[in-house]
Amino acid sequence: MKWKKYTIETTTAAEDYMSSMLMDLGIEGIEIEDNIPLTKEDQADMFIDFLPELPPDEGISHVSFYIEEDGSDQKQILTQVKAGLENLRKMVEVGSGMISSSETEDLDWINNWKKYFSSFTIEDILIKPTWEELKEEDKDKFLIEIDPGISFGTGKHETTQLCIRQLLKYIRGNSEYTPENKHPKVLDVGCGSGILSIVALKLGASEVVGTDLDADCMISTKENMEVNHLDAGLGTFYVGNLIDDEELQQKVGTEVYDIVVANILADVIIPMAPVIPARLKKGGYFITSGIIDFKENEVKAAIEKAGLEVVEINHQGEWVNITARKN
């Protein structure tokens, strides 16, 4: 299969916004190239001994994405991308916005990215890819192993980390956040690789239920549960759209969850917000991320309109977590 590669010339200030816009359109396989020097944390995460010499950072970034060459909706997608670019111009400097294209041969999407995913920690949790050997000094750590396969969710993205930190607070608890139920039942909307479901179970959740639009995610989630030695009976997973699928809503259940977690996109969270309170028990929490910062107020307003009380807003980079409570 051949693919068409499209590259948008933009600014480093706009690259995350550009990525969010492309993801909102359902585009996957996004690449970002810029000359921003790596931080010490980035270098440690990627185990780079000798940094390449980069040209001076002039604030220019190239954001690339791929479309099947024989895809019938190619023109429609490009039209949507151009419209999205013009909308972004109203809120951030996007630079030239010029789009160039090239052809590429078959790509091994499933495996080529693995060289960029290595072990890292969130608080006291060590998240390790399944193909990496566990170091001797890490054998006593709180370990989660993940192979995302073709699903979203290595845990390394800011949005996933924001959700994991909230699960730590609301399941494990501390002086400020003490959960009423020490073994909560959790609904994971948009479960992807299953990483948030697995984190919840390993932190002490009694049961998880997950949903996703992509049937492949069910495979990834179940495989990752096995890798983490979790009983398959602890998790039930459904394919479907919780927003408007009444049959799925019935399967998932009403007022049975202590926590609903959703690491999706702002444009999905907003229409989904009205169906969340019915899933939660009284006093239950809605933990969400995947929200680019310029959509924070819009998502917050939708959650509050649904009748939930926003109790926390956290930021990491240009991404936002909003946590709300059903009173």
Side-chain angles (χ1 to χ4, degrees):
M1 182 185 299
K2 287 191 175 182
W3 298 77
K4 198 89 169 180
K5 178 180 180 181
Y6 292 93
T7 300
I8 305 169
E9 184 177 275
T10 185
T11 65
T12 52
E15 59 187 23
D16 275 352
Y17 298 93
M18 199 75 69
S19 298
S20 177
M21 181 268 289
L22 294 171
M23 287 189 290
D24 283 346
L25 295 176
I27 294 171
E28 300 176 353
I30 298 166
E31 297 175 358
I32 297 176
E33 296 176 76
D34 58 38
N35 293 326
I36 299 175
L38 292 174
T39 64
K40 289 183 178 178
E41 290 79 8
D42 290 335
Q43 294 172 37
D45 285 345
M46 297 176 73
F47 300 102
I48 294 174
D49 294 319
F50 300 98
L51 288 175
E53 290 189 13
L54 295 173
D57 176 24
E58 296 178 346
I60 297 173
S61 176
H62 294 89
V63 179
S64 300
F65 60 95
Y66 297 82
I67 304 175
E68 284 184 41
E69 194 175 51
D70 59 353
S72 57
D73 57 352
Q74 192 169 151
K75 288 184 179 179
Q76 181 184 351
I77 292 173
L78 283 175
T79 300
Q80 292 174 329
V81 169
K82 289 173 182 176
L85 266 169
E86 294 310 307
N87 286 333
L88 286 181
R89 287 188 189 278
K90 300 172 186 176
M91 57 191 75
V92 66
E93 175 55 54
V94 301
S96 73
M98 185 174 67
I99 302 176
S100 58
S101 65
S102 60
E103 289 183 3
T104 183
E105 295 295 331
D106 287 352
L107 298 176
D108 187 357
W109 297 106
I110 296 177
N111 293 306
N112 282 354
W113 60 272
K114 287 185 176 180
K115 57 181 176 280
Y116 302 111
F117 177 28
S118 54
S119 297
F120 66 102
T121 57
I122 301 175
E123 304 295 337
D124 63 338
I125 299 174
L126 173 67
I127 297 177
K128 183 186 79 65
T130 54
W131 55 86
E132 189 177 283
E133 285 291 324
L134 182 64
K135 297 177 182 177
E136 189 65 35
E137 62 266 29
D138 292 333
K139 288 190 174 177
D140 294 328
K141 288 187 177 177
F142 189 110
L143 175 66
I144 291 175
E145 294 190 276
I146 289 290
D147 183 350
I150 55 177
S151 304
F152 175 82
T154 64
K156 208 154 193 175
H157 195 277
E158 290 94 333
T159 62
T160 314
Q161 293 188 31
L162 283 162
C163 286
I164 290 174
R165 288 192 173 92
Q166 293 305 95
L167 288 173
L168 277 162
K169 288 180 184 179
Y170 290 93
I171 297 179
R172 180 184 286 172
N174 57 32
S175 58
E176 187 179 356
Y177 303 98
T178 303
E180 294 179 11
N181 185 351
K182 297 291 185 183
H183 301 286
K185 185 173 181 178
V186 177
L187 173 62
D188 181 2
V189 184
C191 57
S193 67
I195 185 167
L196 296 180
S197 292
I198 290 164
V199 168
L201 287 170
K202 297 200 83 169
L203 287 173
S206 61
E207 180 186 352
V208 295
V209 173
T211 69
D212 204 288
L213 298 176
D214 188 347
D216 289 327
C217 294
M218 305 299 106
I219 298 169
S220 295
T221 297
K222 288 175 182 176
E223 288 178 349
N224 283 320
M225 284 188 66
E226 288 178 14
V227 166
N228 286 278
H229 311 293
L230 292 169
D231 187 334
L234 295 174
T236 305
F237 301 94
Y238 301 104
V239 178
N241 188 340
L242 196 64
I243 294 172
D244 54 14
D245 188 336
E246 293 183 4
E247 184 179 347
L248 178 61
Q249 291 171 13
Q250 290 176 2
K251 287 179 180 177
V252 164
T254 301
E255 295 190 341
V256 292
Y257 298 97
D258 302 283
I259 294 171
V260 175
V261 60
N263 182 28
I264 319 181
L265 294 169
D267 288 345
V268 178
I269 296 167
I270 291 166
M272 186 176 68
V275 306
I276 296 301
R279 316 278 76 82
L280 284 167
K281 296 178 183 176
K282 288 181 181 178
Y285 289 95
F286 180 35
I287 297 170
T288 187
S289 191
I291 307 161
I292 195 73
D293 54 10
F294 65 83
K295 293 195 175 183
E296 175 184 327
N297 291 334
E298 193 178 350
V299 176
K300 179 175 180 286
I303 290 172
E304 290 176 333
K305 186 178 179 181
L308 300 177
E309 176 195 3
V310 173
V311 295
E312 266 196 274
I313 297 179
N314 300 289
H315 298 83
Q316 187 171 341
E318 288 160 325
W319 298 94
V320 183
N321 149 252
I322 297 177
T323 299
R325 186 176 188 269
K326 180 179 178 178
N327 291 322

